[in-house]
Amino acid sequence: MKAKITYLTVFLLLLGGFVQAQVTGTVVDEEGAPLPGASVVKQGTTIGTTTDFDGNFTLDEVVVGETIVVSYIGYETKRVRVTGTTMTITLTSGVALSEVVIVGSRNPNRTATESTVPVDVIDVKQLSDVAPQVNLNQILNYVAPSFTSNTQTISDGTDHIDPASLRGLGPDQVLVLINGKRRHTSSLINVNGTFGRGSVGTDLNAIPAVAIQRIEVLRDGAAAQYGSDAIAGVINIVLNKEVNELQVTATTGANFTKNANDQTGGVDGETTNIAASYGLPLGDNGGFVTFSGDFDVRDDYSRMAEWEGDIFNLYNTVERFARADGYDTSLLLDDDVDDVIQYANQAGINLNGASTKAELQPILSADNTSAELSARGQERSDYNMRVGQSSLRGGRLFTNLLLPLDDAGTAIYAFGGISSRTGNSAGFYRLPNQSRTYTPAYPNGFLPEINSNIKDQSLSVGIRGSIGDWSVDFSNTYGKNAFLYTIGNTFNASLQNASPTTFDAGGFSFLQNTTNLDITQFFDDMLNGLNIAFGGEYRFEQYEIVAGEEASYAQYTANGQVVRLASQTPAQDFFGNSRPGGSQVFPGFSPSNELARGRSSIAGYFDIEADFSDDFLMSFATRFENYSDFGSTINFKLASRYKVTDNFNIRGAVNTGFRAPSLHQINFNSTSTIFDNLGNPQEVGTFANDSRAASLLGIPELKEETSRSVSLGLTGNIPDANLSITVDGYFVRINDRVVYTGQFQGPGTGTELDNLLRQANATAASFFANAIDTESKGLDVVLTHNATLWDGWRLRSDLAGTFSKTKKVGDINASDVLRNAGLVDTYFPEDSRVYLEEAVPRTKINLSNSLSSDAFVFFLRNVYFGEVTEATTIVENQQVFGTKVVTDVSVGYKASPALTLTIGANNVFDIYPDRADPDFGNRSSGRFDWSRRAQQFGIAGRFLFARVNYTIK
């Protein structure tokens, strides 16, 4: 069950004076059972030990009257004053905000409620027992209001890795740590139409929830403490340490919703997750090794009702009659039109005497959809896209190890994991009347599919101990993410009959290796406590693009030659339209895209935190970093907390920060199919900032983003009411923010830009650029109430809300070349502004209630999602979608000490976002009844689930 840690101070009467003592004792739980591996530390020092298998401990160099701190995973930390040489200490089960946290402060005694900045502590184990969500992104999306993440649709690779953000800032402006060590980002950069376009995030779903003890969310800028990316805050994932316990959980569920199966109703989107965790003790000093993993299968679903646009023209009718006659329809494409006229006459088409291809083209291009659907025995819904959720199948395995080497706290530690995930998503349907469809191979068109193969691996190894009175931690952390594409059920239309239907399109990978040295000491005899920390970091990163097979990216002539020169003519359809090259839906990476680029950075930091009195705390941090590819930066943070009363604190911070442009943003280059506001396909080339195309448009090379932020808040407790509250306001200014530009087109007059686009098999060009400055401000509120009711029933209620606003400020940072050409609005187009400011909820509030006894847990959660706006370049089409409340419920029953059964629902009332209003022109002829560009909480509808948890201790 979800715990709450409150500071329990046990005062025992002292009959003797202060004497040097060796204290022995036993640590037990509420039922008197010993707790092996519990931590026992002299407060404010690194002197400590752990309990053995019988819960016993011996602690030297303790003065009677001093305080020791006793902690154990899943139990409330307890401070006990030493009164003699023998003690029995009882811990109460529970974990909550008063637990010592890793993130936000390097003081080993600092808790979330005492910190100078807001830190949320989320008990993932408790949520995994009662909440419908099983992947990490969705768990956080529904429990942390300042966190936003949603499954995307029709967005290429982003269908497979969900972008996530904190406080409405970008996915690349939040730093993720595991056990306090920097986590590598994904190799995917988001370039399609989603929130976070142009950014690189961390793939949180590569980490199994069953491996996590808790998550600490620091909602404040922390670049001066942790380095690049920590502008919005830091998410620290603390891994599981439980030993002598095998936990196996199986969760299955599906969407039971009125709009399932293309809005016909029923059940779809079936999901199954099987997870397990087991830990072993190592030695007698609290060592352990844990293994945690899961496997899941997620089916796709679609929410498109029916395609309402054109499908067939009269030429498709001619093809149907030719096929019925056993004729090779590829022969209809040549300049000899006798066969076309023959089958047109059989079809009863009035050709008005047309006898040449030029004369036939305007006649046969006429729409004939209704007649062809009837003749082929088809319905419009046969030409639907898959608008909803991609299918995924994957597994993850994580381990966490601590091996003490002596009784003085020296220990080797290691943690890491591997994950493998395959996904399948679909793009826009390629219709028979389009030049993209080679109808001799696909008479009815086709739905191209993107198949992903995502592999992730990480390992962190370190040693920590003491040198004199200083605590020293030396570690190395390695991580790599690789994303490969296989494009299926598709075609290279320009290759015509010679085209395969499955393509290796290549992919990309990102590697990061970080070496850290951290040194700290807490001086309890200076002021009311002084903590000093300093250290250094060396980080190496490498980004790589791997080319696919030739047919996945090349455009061909009718004779099968690769188009390399402007004088060459690509293969054409019957109407003289050039057939696009590459694999439909996702053209592969070419050898010209292929690269392997690396960089390194070095950093040093200094951090001091001082308790000037029992009431007044101040901290200061500074960090210097030097990057091999763009230079140096130095940042500062000053924070303070003042305790007005024992139950009321005021806290605040000011800081500067930065984010280095990712290697992905600097080096990514490719050609991809992007659909415009009207649903029309455009082949858009993404060019690197050091490319000739960027130089022609006056787009400079990328530099770092810089930030300044201020936060001010208060924390309060009302002990008599068992109520706690935190309120924090913030302001963040970011200069030179990196965005993904709009689409620049050449004049079509044979200019150098035209030729560069043609060489890239593209009709337009986009870039990454430091185009804008932004300001974000908001307010976060958290209230927690605990009550003990009758006969052992307990009620916990949490009300949390975030109210935020981000906006572009000042002029767009465009070059004179762009200004003189009138292209500033392409550099940062209107839809990019909406993605930045209004495409995700700026207000989110959740109210969670958990009523529990020894046998039952009743869980009820309501989440309020604020309004969002359709991201389109046409201002008149920017529909605003209203606020919604989504309700989750579950009931858990402990059938035995080992077996727990849970049933429940996410979105039990089957709530959907507002439908796209046809008057705004964003439905794309029936493709999108709900926005794909503005996401509140997804379009899955009601999700019902059942869970079985079996625990052996």
Side-chain angles (χ1 to χ4, degrees), residues 139-426:
I139 288 173
L140 288 172
N141 191 42
Y142 277 84
V143 73
S146 58
F147 181 92
T148 297
S149 177
N150 282 301
T151 300
Q152 305 298 316
T153 185
I154 317 296
S155 53
D156 292 349
T158 312
D159 284 8
H160 306 255
I161 297 180
D162 302 335
S165 71
L166 202 62
R167 284 185 162 177
L169 296 177
D172 51 7
Q173 289 164 335
V174 56
L175 175 64
V176 177
L177 311 175
I178 296 185
N179 285 352
K181 307 300 181 183
R182 176 182 284 261
R183 173 78 172 174
H184 61 280
T185 63
S186 166
S187 57
L188 174 73
I189 188 163
N190 304 306
V191 295
N192 221 303
T194 67
F195 168 78
R197 184 170 65 177
S199 65
V200 179
T202 301
D203 185 6
L204 293 177
N205 289 342
I207 306 166
V210 70
I212 301 171
Q213 173 195 342
R214 70 177 188 269
I215 298 174
E216 302 166 352
V217 181
L218 168 62
R219 294 180 276 114
D220 196 65
Q225 296 165 289
Y226 301 104
S228 177
D229 305 347
I231 289 177
V234 179
I235 297 174
N236 183 46
I237 297 168
V238 181
L239 297 179
N240 193 2
K241 304 176 185 177
E242 293 189 24
V243 298
N244 294 322
E245 177 180 291
L246 172 64
Q247 177 180 310
V248 180
T249 302
T251 304
T252 187
N255 303 318
F256 291 74
T257 173
K258 58 194 174 189
N259 291 313
N261 302 306
D262 292 330
Q263 301 185 39
T264 62
V267 181
D268 65 6
E270 291 84 354
T271 299
T272 300
N273 178 277
I274 299 174
S277 181
Y278 182 63
L280 293 168
L282 298 178
D284 299 328
N285 293 319
F288 61 84
V289 59
T290 64
F291 301 93
S292 305
D294 71 353
F295 173 80
D296 59 10
V297 178
R298 184 184 83 180
D299 288 350
D300 60 67
Y301 66 77
S302 178
R303 295 292 177 266
M304 179 179 173
E306 184 177 80
W307 169 243
E308 299 166 3
D310 295 343
I311 301 171
F312 299 104
N313 53 31
L314 286 173
Y315 178 77
N316 299 134
T317 303
V318 171
E319 289 182 306
R320 175 169 58 83
F321 274 83
R323 279 193 305 274
D325 196 37
Y327 190 72
D328 181 357
T329 56
S330 66
L331 300 177
L332 299 172
L333 295 167
D334 60 25
D335 291 333
D336 182 356
V337 295
D338 289 344
D339 47 1
V340 176
I341 294 172
Q342 173 190 343
Y343 291 113
N345 289 331
Q346 287 185 20
I349 299 172
N350 182 5
L351 298 180
N352 291 322
S355 59
T356 66
K357 198 171 196 178
E359 293 171 341
L360 288 169
Q361 286 170 347
I363 297 172
L364 297 182
S365 64
D367 178 57
N368 199 34
T369 298
S370 297
E372 277 300 296
L373 286 173
S374 177
R376 300 183 189 214
Q378 297 175 345
E379 298 178 354
R380 284 186 169 275
S381 59
D382 293 329
Y383 294 86
N384 282 1
M385 297 160 46
R386 194 190 306 163
V387 180
Q389 173 178 275
S390 62
S391 65
L392 290 175
R393 182 183 185 92
R396 291 150 288 270
L397 176 65
F398 259 65
T399 186
N400 190 23
L401 176 144
L402 177 69
L403 182 62
L405 300 180
D406 56 29
D407 295 332
T410 306
I412 293 173
Y413 61 86
F415 55 87
I418 56 174
S419 74
S420 178
R421 188 158 79 247
T422 58
N424 174 275
S425 63

Side-chain angles (χ1 to χ4, degrees), residues 167 729-732 775-779 803-807 842:
R167 284 185 162 177
Y730 62 90
F731 172 85
V732 183
E775 289 181 354
S776 300
K777 55 187 175 183
L779 185 71
F803 310 87
S804 64
K805 182 177 182 179
T806 295
K807 65 178 181 178
R842 288 156 290 175

Side-chain angles (χ1 to χ4, degrees), residues 25-213:
T26 304
V27 179
V28 298
D29 64 14
E30 297 145 300
E31 298 177 353
L35 294 177
S39 171
V40 183
V41 180
K42 178 179 175 182
Q43 181 171 293
T45 73
T46 59
I47 299 171
T49 186
T50 55
T51 58
D52 61 20
F53 287 115
D54 298 318
N56 298 322
F57 70 90
T58 300
L59 189 62
D60 296 320
E61 302 180 26
V62 179
V63 174
V64 174
E66 291 184 326
T67 298
I68 60 175
V69 180
V70 185
S71 60
Y72 189 71
I73 297 169
Y75 290 79
E76 295 182 356
T77 298
K78 196 168 190 176
R79 284 168 170 73
V80 183
R81 186 175 296 276
V82 177
T83 58
T85 58
T86 304
M87 307 177 70
T88 298
I89 301 167
T90 302
L91 297 185
T92 303
S93 61
V95 179
L97 288 178
S98 56
E99 181 172 3
V100 173
V101 296
I102 295 173
V103 73
S105 170
R106 290 187 167 90
N107 186 330
N109 306 305
R110 190 65 60 210
T111 68
T113 52
E114 294 177 335
S115 68
T116 58
V117 289
V119 180
D120 299 325
V121 181
I122 299 166
D123 185 342
V124 173
K125 186 177 187 302
Q126 188 271 341
L127 284 173
S128 298
D129 289 341
V130 298
Q133 296 79 22
V134 293
N135 74 61
L136 195 51
N137 268 322
Q138 287 306 300
I139 288 173
L140 288 172
N141 191 42
Y142 277 84
V143 73
S146 58
F147 181 92
T148 297
S149 177
N150 282 301
T151 300
Q152 305 298 316
T153 185
I154 317 296
S155 53
D156 292 349
T158 312
D159 284 8
H160 306 255
I161 297 180
D162 302 335
S165 71
L166 202 62
R167 284 185 162 177
L169 296 177
D172 51 7
Q173 289 164 335
V174 56
L175 175 64
V176 177
L177 311 175
I178 296 185
N179 285 352
K181 307 300 181 183
R182 176 182 284 261
R183 173 78 172 174
H184 61 280
T185 63
S186 166
S187 57
L188 174 73
I189 188 163
N190 304 306
V191 295
N192 221 303
T194 67
F195 168 78
R197 184 170 65 177
S199 65
V200 179
T202 301
D203 185 6
L204 293 177
N205 289 342
I207 306 166
V210 70
I212 301 171
Q213 173 195 342

Side-chain angles (χ1 to χ4, degrees), residues 473-545:
D473 186 333
F474 180 71
S475 65
N476 188 81
T477 302
Y478 165 87
K480 183 178 182 180
N481 179 273
F483 196 125
L484 298 177
Y485 292 91
T486 300
I487 312 304
N489 193 46
T490 187
F491 217 70
N492 183 328
S494 69
L495 201 50
Q496 303 185 111
N497 275 330
S499 175
T501 58
T502 300
F503 299 81
D504 172 7
F508 30 70
S509 66
F510 176 70
L511 178 151
Q512 178 179 282
N513 192 83
T514 307
T515 303
N516 291 97
L517 176 64
D518 302 293
I519 302 171
T520 64
Q521 183 174 351
F522 182 78
F523 299 88
D524 59 351
D525 56 348
M526 297 183 66
L527 303 174
N528 271 41
L530 176 71
N531 194 81
I532 293 177
F534 60 92
E537 177 181 286
Y538 174 79
R539 186 163 76 249
F540 173 77
E541 299 173 334
Q542 179 171 289
Y543 178 68
E544 185 174 0
I545 297 177

Side-chain angles (χ1 to χ4, degrees), residues 704-777:
E704 74 273 21
E705 300 173 346
T706 60
S707 70
R708 292 169 293 164
S709 64
V710 179
S711 64
L712 181 65
L714 59 88
T715 68
N717 290 296
I718 306 176
D720 293 342
N722 292 318
L723 181 68
S724 65
I725 180 173
T726 68
V727 180
D728 293 277
Y730 62 90
F731 172 85
V732 183
R733 166 78 183 228
I734 303 175
N735 292 330
D736 300 316
R737 190 159 173 174
V738 177
V739 301
Y740 188 61
T741 70
Q743 301 163 17
F744 295 92
Q745 295 183 333
T749 56
T751 65
E752 186 176 359
L753 181 58
D754 287 318
N755 292 333
L756 289 170
L757 289 171
R758 186 180 182 86
Q759 291 168 16
N761 195 19
T763 58
S766 289
F767 307 85
F768 296 94
N770 298 98
I772 57 168
D773 304 332
T774 66
E775 289 181 354
S776 300
K777 55 187 175 183

Side-chain angles (χ1 to χ4, degrees), residues 631-697:
S632 302
T633 179
I634 187 168
N635 292 281
F636 305 91
K637 181 169 186 174
L638 180 66
S640 181
R641 186 220 66 217
Y642 181 70
K643 186 174 290 188
V644 180
T645 69
D646 287 341
N647 296 310
F648 183 75
N649 299 331
I650 297 175
R651 61 191 180 191
V654 294
N655 68 78
T656 64
F658 83 105
R659 189 191 69 82
S662 69
L663 283 177
H664 319 51
Q665 292 170 326
I666 295 171
N667 297 294
F668 180 79
N669 66 108
S670 76
T671 299
S672 57
T673 306
I674 305 248
F675 284 77
D676 61 22
N677 293 315
L678 302 176
N680 298 317
Q682 305 291 338
E683 303 299 335
V684 177
T686 300
F687 292 82
N689 287 75
D690 58 358
S691 66
R692 177 59 180 165
S695 177
L696 289 172
L697 291 169

